[in-house]
Amino acid sequence: MIMLFGSQRDYDAITGKGEGAWPVEEVAAMHAFMEKWNRELVESGEFVDAQGLTAPVHARRISLRDGAPVVTDGPYAETQEVLAGYTIVECDSFDRATEIAARLADTPHPAGTTTQGEWHVDIRPIAETTADFDL
């Protein structure tokens, strides 16, 4: 699973809200890049599934305090990154999954802009059985 992260600030910028809002052309270029990336995975037979998630403003975090669940509604602090979406690939090796994910480093964005914090994606194998967990 390739996991992509973003903050509320990132979501706002991509949707044209707030400081650092992306121009429409830049958003279109990013979407075109992601469509091409997914299409190539489908064509190679490595694509399994992909979904984007709604902005953190729509999230709820449940934690435990004094033995009772506590619900916190998003958005969280602008700088806090959350899972923004994922892509599941089925490929020959972990190294191949790394190559696929590394292509995301070329995702278009407006000149001079960055996402909140350092850009990264995580890659983790999906456990098929409890024996796959490193306990």
Side-chain angles (χ1 to χ4, degrees):
M1 177 182 281
I2 301 167
M3 295 169 281
L4 299 91
F5 297 88
S7 67
Q8 184 64 48
R9 180 177 169 189
D10 297 331
Y11 276 87
D12 290 345
I14 291 170
T15 57
K17 300 174 188 165
E19 184 180 328
W22 288 24
V24 174
E25 311 79 46
E26 299 285 356
V27 174
M30 181 198 62
H31 285 292
F33 175 89
M34 294 303 294
E35 287 176 23
K36 180 178 185 272
W37 185 74
N38 281 307
R39 186 175 49 255
E40 289 173 358
L41 291 172
V42 169
E43 290 169 359
S44 72
E46 296 169 307
F47 181 87
V48 175
D49 186 29
Q51 296 292 324
L53 302 175
T54 61
V57 69
H58 302 290
R60 286 188 176 151
R61 177 167 289 158
I62 294 104
S63 58
L64 196 60
R65 187 173 303 139
D66 297 325
V70 176
V71 178
T72 304
D73 289 330
Y76 311 112
E78 281 188 359
T79 58
Q80 187 168 350
E81 291 184 339
V82 295
L83 185 64
Y86 67 87
T87 299
I88 298 175
V89 295
E90 187 171 324
C91 49
D92 293 332
S93 67
F94 196 60
D95 287 340
R96 174 62 184 145
T98 302
E99 290 171 13
I100 291 168
R103 291 178 44 214
L104 293 171
D106 290 331
T107 302
H109 59 278
T113 64
T114 60
T115 57
Q116 187 68 26
E118 184 177 325
W119 179 91
H120 70 280
V121 298
D122 287 345
I123 307 166
R124 291 175 59 190
I126 296 173
E128 295 183 26
T129 68
T130 55
D132 291 337
F133 290 105
D134 190 25
L135 300 176

Coordinates of all heavy atoms in Angstrom, one line a residue, residues 42-102:
V42 N -2.6 0.4 -14.1 CA -3.7 -0.5 -14.6 C -3.1 -1.2 -15.9 O -3.3 -2.4 -16.0 CB -4.9 0.3 -15.0 CG1 -5.9 -0.5 -15.8 CG2 -5.6 0.9 -13.7
E43 N -2.5 -0.5 -16.8 CA -2.0 -1.1 -18.0 C -0.9 -2.2 -17.7 O -0.8 -3.2 -18.4 CB -1.4 0.0 -18.9 CG -2.6 0.8 -19.5 CD -2.1 2.0 -20.3 OE1 -0.8 2.3 -20.3 OE2 -2.9 2.8 -20.8
S44 N -0.1 -1.9 -16.6 CA 1.0 -2.9 -16.3 C 0.4 -4.1 -15.5 O 1.1 -5.1 -15.3 CB 2.1 -2.2 -15.5 OG 1.6 -1.9 -14.2
G45 N -0.9 -4.0 -15.1 CA -1.5 -5.1 -14.3 C -1.1 -5.0 -12.8 O -1.5 -5.9 -12.1
E46 N -0.5 -3.9 -12.4 CA -0.1 -3.8 -11.0 C -1.1 -3.1 -10.1 O -1.0 -3.1 -8.9 CB 1.3 -3.1 -10.9 CG 2.4 -3.9 -11.6 CD 3.7 -3.1 -11.7 OE1 3.6 -1.9 -12.3 OE2 4.7 -3.6 -11.3
F47 N -2.1 -2.4 -10.7 CA -3.1 -1.6 -10.0 C -4.1 -2.6 -9.3 O -4.6 -3.5 -9.9 CB -3.8 -0.7 -10.9 CG -4.8 0.2 -10.3 CD1 -4.5 1.4 -9.7 CD2 -6.2 -0.2 -10.2 CE1 -5.4 2.2 -9.1 CE2 -7.1 0.6 -9.6 CZ -6.7 1.8 -9.0
V48 N -4.4 -2.3 -8.0 CA -5.4 -3.1 -7.3 C -6.5 -2.1 -6.9 O -7.7 -2.4 -7.2 CB -4.8 -3.8 -6.1 CG1 -5.9 -4.4 -5.3 CG2 -3.8 -4.8 -6.5
D49 N -6.2 -1.0 -6.3 CA -7.2 -0.1 -5.8 C -6.5 1.3 -5.5 O -5.4 1.3 -5.1 CB -7.9 -0.6 -4.6 CG -9.1 0.2 -4.1 OD1 -9.7 0.9 -4.9 OD2 -9.4 0.2 -2.9
A50 N -7.3 2.3 -5.5 CA -6.8 3.7 -5.1 C -8.0 4.5 -4.7 O -9.1 4.4 -5.3 CB -6.1 4.4 -6.2
Q51 N -7.9 5.2 -3.6 CA -8.9 6.1 -3.1 C -8.3 7.3 -2.5 O -7.3 7.3 -1.8 CB -9.8 5.4 -2.0 CG -10.5 4.2 -2.5 CD -11.6 4.6 -3.5 OE1 -12.3 5.6 -3.4 NE2 -11.8 3.7 -4.5
G52 N -8.9 8.5 -2.8 CA -8.5 9.7 -2.1 C -9.5 9.9 -0.9 O -10.6 9.4 -0.9
L53 N -9.0 10.5 0.1 CA -9.9 10.7 1.3 C -10.3 12.2 1.4 O -9.6 13.1 0.9 CB -9.2 10.3 2.6 CG -8.7 8.9 2.6 CD1 -7.9 8.6 3.8 CD2 -9.9 7.9 2.5
T54 N -11.4 12.5 2.0 CA -11.9 13.9 2.2 C -10.9 14.6 3.1 O -10.1 14.1 3.8 CB -13.3 13.9 2.7 OG1 -13.3 13.4 4.0 CG2 -14.3 13.2 1.8
A55 N -11.1 15.9 3.1 CA -10.2 16.8 3.9 C -10.3 16.5 5.3 O -11.3 16.0 5.8 CB -10.6 18.3 3.6
P56 N -9.2 16.8 6.1 CA -9.2 16.6 7.6 C -10.4 17.3 8.3 O -10.8 16.8 9.4 CB -7.9 17.1 8.0 CG -7.0 17.0 6.8 CD -7.9 17.3 5.6
V57 N -11.0 18.3 7.7 CA -12.1 19.0 8.4 C -13.3 18.0 8.5 O -14.1 18.2 9.4 CB -12.6 20.2 7.6 CG1 -13.2 19.8 6.2 CG2 -13.5 21.1 8.4
H58 N -13.3 16.9 7.8 CA -14.4 15.9 7.8 C -14.0 14.7 8.7 O -14.7 13.7 8.7 CB -14.7 15.4 6.4 CG -15.2 16.5 5.5 ND1 -16.4 17.2 5.7 CD2 -14.6 17.1 4.5 CE1 -16.5 18.1 4.8 NE2 -15.4 18.1 4.0
A59 N -12.8 14.8 9.4 CA -12.3 13.6 10.1 C -12.8 13.7 11.6 O -13.1 14.8 12.1 CB -10.8 13.6 10.1
R60 N -12.8 12.6 12.2 CA -12.9 12.4 13.6 C -11.8 11.5 14.2 O -11.6 10.5 13.6 CB -14.3 11.9 14.0 CG -15.4 12.8 13.8 CD -16.7 12.3 14.3 NE -17.7 13.3 14.2 CZ -19.0 13.0 14.0 NH1 -19.4 11.8 14.1 NH2 -19.9 14.0 13.9
R61 N -11.2 11.9 15.2 CA -10.2 11.1 15.9 C -10.8 10.7 17.2 O -11.3 11.4 18.0 CB -9.0 12.0 16.1 CG -7.9 11.2 16.8 CD -6.5 11.9 16.8 NE -6.1 11.8 15.4 CZ -5.2 12.6 14.8 NH1 -4.7 13.6 15.5 NH2 -4.8 12.4 13.6
I62 N -10.7 9.4 17.5 CA -11.1 8.8 18.7 C -9.9 8.4 19.5 O -9.1 7.6 19.0 CB -12.1 7.6 18.5 CG1 -13.4 8.1 17.8 CG2 -12.4 6.9 19.8 CD1 -13.4 7.7 16.4
S63 N -9.8 8.9 20.7 CA -8.7 8.5 21.6 C -9.3 8.0 22.9 O -10.5 8.1 23.2 CB -7.8 9.7 21.9 OG -8.5 10.8 22.4
L64 N -8.5 7.5 23.8 CA -9.0 6.9 25.1 C -8.4 7.8 26.2 O -7.2 8.1 26.2 CB -8.5 5.5 25.2 CG -9.1 4.7 26.3 CD1 -10.6 4.5 26.0 CD2 -8.5 3.3 26.3
R65 N -9.3 8.3 27.0 CA -8.9 9.2 28.1 C -9.6 8.6 29.4 O -10.9 8.6 29.4 CB -9.3 10.6 27.9 CG -8.7 11.5 29.0 CD -8.9 13.0 28.7 NE -8.3 13.4 27.4 CZ -8.8 14.2 26.5 NH1 -10.0 14.8 26.8 NH2 -8.2 14.5 25.4
D66 N -8.8 8.2 30.4 CA -9.4 7.7 31.6 C -10.3 6.5 31.3 O -11.4 6.4 32.0 CB -10.1 8.7 32.4 CG -9.1 9.8 32.9 OD1 -8.0 9.5 33.2 OD2 -9.6 11.0 32.9
G67 N -10.0 5.7 30.3 CA -10.8 4.5 30.0 C -12.0 4.7 29.2 O -12.8 3.8 28.9
A68 N -12.3 6.0 28.8 CA -13.4 6.3 28.0 C -13.0 6.9 26.6 O -12.1 7.7 26.6 CB -14.3 7.3 28.8
P69 N -13.8 6.6 25.6 CA -13.5 7.2 24.3 C -13.8 8.7 24.2 O -14.8 9.1 24.8 CB -14.4 6.4 23.3 CG -15.4 5.8 24.1 CD -14.9 5.7 25.5
V70 N -12.9 9.4 23.6 CA -13.0 10.8 23.5 C -13.0 11.1 22.0 O -12.0 10.7 21.3 CB -11.9 11.6 24.2 CG1 -12.1 13.1 23.9 CG2 -12.0 11.4 25.7
V71 N -14.0 11.8 21.4 CA -14.0 12.1 20.0 C -13.6 13.6 19.8 O -14.1 14.5 20.4 CB -15.5 11.9 19.5 CG1 -15.5 12.2 18.0 CG2 -15.9 10.4 19.7
T72 N -12.7 13.8 18.9 CA -12.2 15.1 18.5 C -12.5 15.3 17.0 O -12.1 14.5 16.2 CB -10.7 15.3 18.7 OG1 -10.4 15.0 20.1 CG2 -10.3 16.7 18.4
D73 N -13.3 16.3 16.7 CA -13.6 16.6 15.3 C -12.5 17.3 14.6 O -11.8 18.2 15.3 CB -14.9 17.5 15.2 CG -16.1 16.7 15.5 OD1 -16.2 15.5 15.3 OD2 -17.1 17.3 16.0
G74 N -12.2 17.1 13.3 CA -11.2 17.8 12.6 C -11.8 19.2 12.2 O -13.0 19.5 12.5
P75 N -11.1 20.1 11.7 CA -9.7 19.8 11.2 C -8.8 19.9 12.4 O -9.1 20.6 13.4 CB -9.4 20.9 10.2 CG -10.2 22.1 10.7 CD -11.5 21.5 11.3
Y76 N -7.6 19.3 12.3 CA -6.6 19.3 13.3 C -5.7 20.5 13.0 O -5.9 21.3 12.0 CB -5.8 18.0 13.3 CG -6.8 16.8 13.4 CD1 -6.9 16.0 12.3 CD2 -7.7 16.7 14.5 CE1 -7.8 15.0 12.3 CE2 -8.6 15.6 14.5 CZ -8.7 14.8 13.4 OH -9.6 13.8 13.4
A77 N -4.7 20.7 13.8 CA -3.8 21.8 13.5 C -3.3 21.8 12.0 O -3.1 20.7 11.5 CB -2.6 21.7 14.4
E78 N -3.3 23.0 11.4 CA -2.9 23.1 10.0 C -1.7 22.3 9.7 O -1.5 21.8 8.5 CB -2.6 24.5 9.6 CG -3.9 25.4 9.4 CD -3.5 26.7 8.8 OE1 -2.3 27.0 8.6 OE2 -4.5 27.5 8.6
T79 N -0.8 22.2 10.6 CA 0.5 21.5 10.3 C 0.4 20.0 10.5 O 1.4 19.3 10.1 CB 1.6 22.1 11.2 OG1 1.3 21.9 12.5 CG2 1.9 23.5 10.9
Q80 N -0.6 19.5 11.0 CA -0.7 18.0 11.3 C -1.1 17.3 10.0 O -2.2 17.5 9.4 CB -1.7 17.8 12.4 CG -1.7 16.3 12.8 CD -2.4 16.1 14.1 OE1 -2.8 17.0 14.8 NE2 -2.6 14.8 14.4
E81 N -0.2 16.4 9.6 CA -0.5 15.6 8.4 C -1.4 14.4 8.8 O -1.2 13.8 9.8 CB 0.8 15.1 7.7 CG 1.6 16.3 7.1 CD 2.8 15.8 6.4 OE1 3.3 14.7 6.7 OE2 3.3 16.5 5.6
V82 N -2.3 14.1 7.8 CA -3.1 12.9 8.0 C -3.1 12.1 6.7 O -2.6 12.6 5.6 CB -4.6 13.3 8.3 CG1 -4.7 14.0 9.7 CG2 -5.2 14.2 7.2
L83 N -3.6 10.9 6.7 CA -3.7 10.1 5.5 C -4.6 10.8 4.5 O -5.7 11.1 4.8 CB -4.2 8.7 5.8 CG -4.2 7.7 4.6 CD1 -2.8 7.4 4.1 CD2 -4.8 6.4 5.1
A84 N -4.1 11.1 3.3 CA -4.9 11.8 2.3 C -5.5 10.8 1.3 O -6.5 11.1 0.6 CB -4.0 12.9 1.6
G85 N -4.8 9.7 1.1 CA -5.3 8.7 0.1 C -4.3 7.6 0.0 O -3.3 7.6 0.7
Y86 N -4.7 6.6 -0.7 CA -3.8 5.4 -0.9 C -4.0 4.8 -2.2 O -5.0 5.0 -2.9 CB -4.1 4.4 0.2 CG -5.5 3.7 0.0 CD1 -5.7 2.6 -0.8 CD2 -6.6 4.3 0.7 CE1 -6.9 2.0 -0.9 CE2 -7.9 3.7 0.5 CZ -8.0 2.6 -0.3 OH -9.2 2.0 -0.5
T87 N -2.9 4.0 -2.6 CA -3.0 3.2 -3.8 C -2.4 1.8 -3.4 O -1.4 1.7 -2.7 CB -2.1 3.8 -4.9 OG1 -2.6 5.1 -5.3 CG2 -2.1 2.9 -6.2
I88 N -3.2 0.8 -3.8 CA -2.7 -0.5 -3.6 C -2.2 -1.1 -4.9 O -2.9 -1.0 -5.9 CB -3.8 -1.4 -3.0 CG1 -4.2 -0.9 -1.6 CG2 -3.3 -2.9 -2.8 CD1 -5.4 -1.6 -1.0
V89 N -1.0 -1.6 -4.9 CA -0.4 -2.2 -6.0 C 0.0 -3.7 -5.7 O 0.2 -4.0 -4.6 CB 0.8 -1.5 -6.6 CG1 0.5 -0.1 -7.0 CG2 1.9 -1.4 -5.5
E90 N -0.1 -4.5 -6.7 CA 0.4 -5.9 -6.6 C 1.5 -6.0 -7.6 O 1.3 -6.0 -8.8 CB -0.7 -6.9 -6.8 CG -0.3 -8.3 -6.5 CD -1.5 -9.3 -6.6 OE1 -2.6 -8.9 -6.2 OE2 -1.2 -10.4 -7.1
C91 N 2.7 -6.1 -7.1 CA 3.9 -6.2 -8.0 C 4.9 -7.2 -7.5 O 4.7 -7.9 -6.5 CB 4.5 -4.8 -8.1 SG 4.8 -4.0 -6.5
D92 N 5.9 -7.4 -8.3 CA 6.9 -8.5 -8.0 C 7.7 -8.3 -6.7 O 8.2 -9.4 -6.2 CB 7.9 -8.6 -9.2 CG 7.2 -9.0 -10.5 OD1 6.1 -9.7 -10.4 OD2 7.6 -8.7 -11.6
S93 N 7.9 -7.1 -6.2 CA 8.8 -7.0 -5.1 C 8.5 -5.6 -4.4 O 7.9 -4.7 -4.9 CB 10.2 -7.0 -5.5 OG 10.5 -5.9 -6.3
F94 N 9.0 -5.5 -3.2 CA 9.0 -4.3 -2.4 C 9.8 -3.2 -3.1 O 9.4 -2.1 -3.1 CB 9.5 -4.6 -1.0 CG 9.1 -3.5 0.0 CD1 7.8 -3.2 0.3 CD2 10.1 -2.8 0.7 CE1 7.5 -2.2 1.2 CE2 9.8 -1.9 1.6 CZ 8.5 -1.6 1.9
D95 N 10.9 -3.6 -3.7 CA 11.7 -2.6 -4.5 C 10.9 -2.1 -5.7 O 10.9 -0.9 -6.0 CB 13.0 -3.3 -5.0 CG 14.0 -3.5 -3.9 OD1 13.9 -2.9 -2.9 OD2 14.9 -4.3 -4.1
R96 N 10.1 -2.9 -6.3 CA 9.2 -2.4 -7.4 C 8.2 -1.4 -6.9 O 7.9 -0.4 -7.5 CB 8.6 -3.6 -8.2 CG 7.6 -3.1 -9.2 CD 8.2 -2.3 -10.3 NE 7.1 -1.9 -11.3 CZ 7.1 -0.8 -11.9 NH1 8.1 0.1 -11.8 NH2 6.1 -0.4 -12.7
A97 N 7.6 -1.7 -5.8 CA 6.6 -0.8 -5.2 C 7.3 0.5 -4.8 O 6.7 1.6 -5.0 CB 6.0 -1.4 -3.9
T98 N 8.5 0.4 -4.4 CA 9.3 1.7 -4.1 C 9.5 2.5 -5.4 O 9.3 3.7 -5.4 CB 10.6 1.3 -3.4 OG1 10.3 0.6 -2.2 CG2 11.4 2.5 -3.1
E99 N 9.8 1.8 -6.5 CA 10.0 2.5 -7.7 C 8.7 3.2 -8.2 O 8.7 4.3 -8.6 CB 10.4 1.5 -8.8 CG 11.8 1.0 -8.7 CD 12.0 -0.2 -9.7 OE1 11.2 -0.4 -10.7 OE2 13.0 -0.9 -9.5
I100 N 7.6 2.5 -8.0 CA 6.3 3.1 -8.4 C 6.0 4.3 -7.6 O 5.6 5.4 -8.1 CB 5.2 2.0 -8.2 CG1 5.3 0.9 -9.3 CG2 3.8 2.6 -8.3 CD1 4.5 -0.3 -9.0
A101 N 6.2 4.2 -6.2 CA 5.9 5.3 -5.3 C 6.9 6.5 -5.6 O 6.5 7.7 -5.5 CB 6.0 4.9 -3.9
A102 N 8.1 6.2 -5.9 CA 9.1 7.3 -6.2 C 8.7 8.2 -7.3 O 9.1 9.3 -7.4 CB 10.5 6.7 -6.4

